[in-house]
Amino acid sequence: MQRQGKTMSEPVKISVRVNGTRYVRSVLPRIHLVDFLREELGIMGARLGCEHGVCGACTLRLDGEIVRGCLVLAVQANGAEVETVEGASDRGDLAELQQAFHARNALQCGYCTPGMLMTAAELVAAQPDATRAQVREFISGNYCRCTGYHAIVDAICDVLDRRRAPGAPARA
Ligand code: FES
Ligand code: FES
């Protein structure tokens, strides 16, 4: 019988910009974006943890939106702009947060840190007036097995505090 269209086992050609560089590759339709980045492109910043959308280790930006790289298929990124922690870091987008994480000892093994930084950067941009409780809530989808979260929340609050207008009321 004649087959119609492509099957899940046939590679599909995609073109995607990652951290400013365009890549054209053939990928199997079942390959997730984070696997594509790590295994095909050697871009290792987005980590693999649960592979089920729970831990946040694979957090990256797809066309400017924070997504879980383990829940997006590489073929869904065809024609899109992907940014990982490497790209965001090179642009200087994470510099304040990186400094604050360092100053507050907000990482130990560092496995969660790329995803945590990407999520924190989204928070700093989207909710500059976030309370400490809101910071906790915002990063609650990013798991850290080492730090107990306090230092991470402290680091993010430090960045928010530095950006607040002089004389603004103290953070709740
Ligand atoms: S590896 Fe994607 S959310 Fe855990
Ligand atoms: S620093 Fe180890 S998992 Fe967060």
Side-chain angles (χ1 to χ4, degrees):
M1 190 169 70
Q2 195 84 30
R3 284 188 307 169
Q4 299 286 316
K6 287 193 176 281
T7 70
M8 290 296 280
S9 59
E10 287 180 88
V12 175
K13 188 179 257 191
I14 64 170
S15 169
V16 56
R17 270 174 79 86
V18 183
N19 299 331
T21 301
R22 180 163 299 284
Y23 298 90
V24 178
R25 294 285 192 281
S26 289
V27 297
L28 291 174
R30 62 181 164 75
I31 298 297
H32 290 100
L33 180 56
V34 66
D35 292 317
F36 171 72
L37 293 170
R38 295 175 62 85
E39 292 169 16
E40 183 68 32
L41 304 185
I43 297 171
M44 309 298 270
R47 303 270 166 80
L48 264 180
C50 66
E51 301 182 56
H52 287 96
V54 176
C55 74
C58 61
T59 304
L60 49 84
R61 290 187 187 129
L62 180 64
D63 281 340
E65 299 284 328
I66 288 287
V67 298
R68 312 248 155 175
C70 70
L71 294 185
V72 178
L73 295 170
V75 291
Q76 292 177 293
N78 186 28
E81 190 85 37
V82 172
E83 187 170 64
T84 66
V85 71
E86 291 96 334
S89 180
D90 286 351
R91 282 193 301 104
D93 194 29
L94 302 178
E96 261 185 290
L97 283 164
Q98 287 167 320
Q99 208 171 34
F101 270 53
H102 183 259
R104 288 286 193 170
N105 278 329
L107 64 151
Q108 290 178 28
C109 78
Y111 200 82
C112 70
T113 310
M116 199 67 86
L117 285 169
M118 295 299 275
T119 299
E122 179 75 2
L123 165 66
V124 168
Q127 291 188 40
D129 295 321
T131 63
R132 193 175 173 87
Q134 287 169 329
V135 171
R136 280 195 165 279
E137 172 70 22
F138 202 94
I139 64 164
S140 63
N142 287 72
Y143 290 4
C144 176
R145 300 178 68 159
C146 307
T147 65
Y149 298 98
H150 294 292
I152 293 173
V153 174
D154 286 343
I156 297 170
C157 287
D158 281 354
V159 172
L160 292 172
D161 285 341
R162 276 202 291 273
R163 291 183 171 204
R164 281 152 71 89
R171 178 174 314 288

